[in-house]
Amino acid sequence: MVHQPPSGARDLLPLDVAQKISIERRLQQVFHRWGYHRIITSTLERLETLMAGGAIDRSTLIQLQDAEDGELGLRPELTASIARAAAMRMAGTRWQPFRLYYNANVFRKGPDTGSGGQQEFYQAGVELLGAGGTVADAEVLLLLSECLQSLEIDEWHLVLGEAGLTARLLEPFPPNVRQKVRGAIANLDRITLETLPLSTELRERALLLFDLRGRPEEVLPIVAKLDLDLSQQSALNNLKSAIELLHQCQSKIPHLKSHIHLDLSLIQTFDYYTGIVFEVVSSSKTGQRVLGQGGRYDQLLGLFDPQGQNSPGIGFCLNIEDLHQVLLTEGQLPSQTPASDWLVVAQTPEASAAAFAYARKLRDSTHLVRVEIDLESRETEEAAREYARDRRIAQIAWVNAEGLPTIETVN
């Protein structure tokens, strides 16, 4: 039907919105406590911005055509847009590093879009720009842990990888099959790895990379035994340092939970990652869900900088829909929309202006007070009381033409 939303789109009704806001407010409080400031970037971007640094597969973009600006697209993620804004409009400011957060919708097509698959998603996340090194990595990972703690999500673990190290470990594969090996590892497709036209030595290497996952103390010694060059060894040492710092923080910060799984086969769908990459995976009643993901990208900002100057960056996004499903199952979201505090009733038609004035007085409280005006000409006072009960309104103010209220608590 023409009046239905388009394929892949959906409406959020008041209860959906109340639950979504409940999640976003708790995350926003954490972002503020860590000194992050909100940034809002354009929903529309030039295609070259969205695809900079291998940020997205073009087939997933929802594209538009503009006579002046050429090819445009709806943003499929926020990192490239924020990197553009920071490099073009915030360069030279004195308050680096930039601690930025966002709460926004993103758009992308998936393989099931033709059968009604979702194309609009909501995300909240952070970008820490202008800070490199282990301490910056630890800040973002600890911030992520605190976000999940604030939402009271207990059953989750952090899957940690190293994009630069994994990319270098893939270099021995011939260019014509390297991308296929990378894709098979990223999608956990062991069958494809076993059937690719590889030498025995390269097949063993591919399967080794595929299986490089588990507890850090189990995986790191295996990687250390590989024939690593200086850059690979440096990346491995940085990964070790980040894990050690996280463990030290766990011992000093009460209630900090971070169950770390090392997975050097973890390859994000975005190519701009250059250092640590990670996913947060929950194990709840709804099954395993990827609640968020992120990583370090130290070459992305240079693509937008007018002088081509690189600056380090790291960030993460949390998937609001997945958080919503987990929290809803655990009964941690509102089951009703907020009720109004007052129903203001004009006792006569001549009292309507006085009723609006009294409602304004109630709303002028220093804290949020929800006030409704009764818009019906009801035959009895009991009908107004019944309306208040149905809407869970606790108090009625009966206002006469002189503006004098009679207050009643609804039982």
Side-chain angles (χ1 to χ4, degrees):
M1 288 180 60
V2 68
H3 300 301
Q4 296 293 334
S7 176
R10 64 195 180 101
D11 302 313
L12 297 182
L13 300 182
L15 180 56
D16 302 319
V17 174
Q19 293 172 341
K20 178 174 175 287
I21 288 175
S22 172
I23 297 171
E24 292 170 346
R25 281 180 175 168
R26 281 183 274 178
L27 293 175
Q28 182 174 278
Q29 288 173 357
V30 178
F31 298 153
H32 287 174
R33 287 198 295 265
W34 281 70
Y36 283 69
H37 301 269
R38 185 171 184 181
I39 185 170
I40 299 176
T41 60
S42 173
T43 305
L44 278 176
E45 289 280 7
R46 298 178 188 273
L47 241 59
E48 55 264 33
T49 296
L50 298 178
M51 299 184 68
I56 197 72
D57 182 347
R58 184 168 182 154
S59 66
T60 67
L61 285 174
I62 298 176
Q63 299 181 42
L64 306 171
Q65 193 74 31
D66 184 88
E68 286 188 27
D69 292 317
E71 291 184 302
L72 305 175
L74 299 178
R75 61 189 179 203
E77 54 96 46
L78 270 295
T79 301
S81 296
I82 292 173
R84 171 195 54 74
M88 298 296 295
R89 302 188 58 193
M90 300 172 70
T93 57
R94 299 170 57 187
W95 46 284
Q96 281 192 343
F98 302 132
R99 288 182 169 90
L100 307 172
Y101 80 89
Y102 58 85
N103 179 13
N105 52 352
V106 297
F107 306 85
R108 58 179 175 267
K109 294 185 291 187
D112 60 346
T113 298
S115 58
Q118 189 174 342
Q119 295 188 73
E120 182 178 12
F121 306 85
Y122 293 90
Q123 294 181 344
V126 304
E127 307 295 346
L128 175 57
L129 307 180
T134 301
V135 176
D137 292 346
E139 170 169 322
V140 169
L141 292 172
L142 292 172
L143 172 54
L144 176 60
S145 298
E146 190 166 317
C147 285
L148 297 169
Q149 182 182 336
S150 75
L151 296 172
E152 300 181 39
I153 296 177
D154 294 324
E155 299 298 322
W156 65 273
H157 58 271
L158 178 68
V159 181
L160 192 60
E162 221 292 343
L165 177 58
T166 301
R168 294 184 188 100
L169 291 175
L170 287 168
E171 287 176 356
F173 294 91
N176 61 322
V177 296
R178 186 182 303 155
Q179 197 60 29
K180 293 180 180 178
V181 172
R182 182 186 186 279
I185 292 173
N187 294 303
L188 302 179
D189 185 357
R190 189 183 186 97
I191 294 176
T192 295
L193 283 184
E194 293 175 341
T195 56
L196 284 173
L198 299 171
S199 66
T200 301
E201 180 182 356
L202 286 178
R203 180 167 287 106
E204 289 176 354
R205 185 181 185 89
L207 293 174
L208 174 64
L209 291 176
F210 186 90
D211 291 328
L212 280 178
R213 60 172 69 90
R215 296 164 61 187
E217 57 269 27
E218 297 170 348
V219 175
L220 289 173
I222 298 174
V223 181
K225 292 178 182 178
L226 298 176
D227 185 18
L228 304 178
D229 61 26
L230 288 177
S231 63
Q232 292 169 339
Q233 189 62 55
S234 176
L236 180 61
N237 291 338
N238 290 339
L239 183 60
K240 287 180 180 178
S241 298
I243 293 172
E244 288 171 2
L245 182 53
L246 285 176
H247 284 153
Q248 292 170 11
C249 291
Q250 284 181 328
S251 66
K252 294 181 180 296
I253 302 175
H255 311 301
L256 175 63
K257 297 178 181 179
S258 183
H259 309 291
I260 300 173
H261 291 250
L262 194 58
D263 185 353
L264 291 182
S265 70
L266 177 63
I267 300 174
Q268 298 285 26
T269 54
F270 304 139
D271 285 339
Y272 53 62
Y273 290 117
T274 59
I276 66 165
V277 290
F278 49 89
E279 290 182 344
V280 176
V281 181
S282 75
S283 300
S284 66
K285 298 174 184 176
T286 61
Q288 282 204 340
R289 288 178 177 272
V290 177
L291 302 181
Q293 54 274 316
R296 173 163 290 284
Y297 46 90
D298 287 348
Q299 297 172 12
L300 181 61
L301 274 78
L303 300 177
F304 302 110
D305 187 87
Q307 284 76 46
Q309 182 175 345
N310 275 324
S311 185
I314 183 172
F316 67 78
C317 74
L318 289 165
N319 307 317
I320 299 298
E321 282 89 356
D322 291 293
L323 292 172
H324 181 271
Q325 288 302 314
V326 170
L327 295 172
L328 193 63
T329 302
E330 296 178 356
Q332 294 191 42
L333 293 176
S335 59
Q336 297 176 310
T337 56
S340 294
D341 302 290
W342 289 88
L343 177 66
V344 176
V345 182
Q347 290 185 302
T348 63
E350 294 75 21
S352 294
F356 276 108
Y358 187 75
R360 171 62 184 270
K361 181 179 178 181
L362 292 172
R363 296 185 187 112
D364 282 343
S365 171
T366 55
H367 63 280
L368 174 62
V369 177
R370 300 176 187 270
V371 182
E372 291 185 25
I373 293 286
D374 188 18
L375 302 177
E376 301 291 335
S377 298
R378 304 184 191 277
E379 295 182 0
T380 65
E381 291 185 351
E382 186 56 33
R385 295 187 185 98
E386 189 62 31
Y387 173 83
R389 292 189 193 101
D390 288 344
R391 296 183 63 83
R392 298 175 285 120
I393 300 175
Q395 291 181 292
I396 298 178
W398 307 92
V399 179
N400 62 21
E402 288 73 36
L404 298 176
T406 299
I407 307 302
E408 176 182 342
T409 299
V410 181
N411 296 317

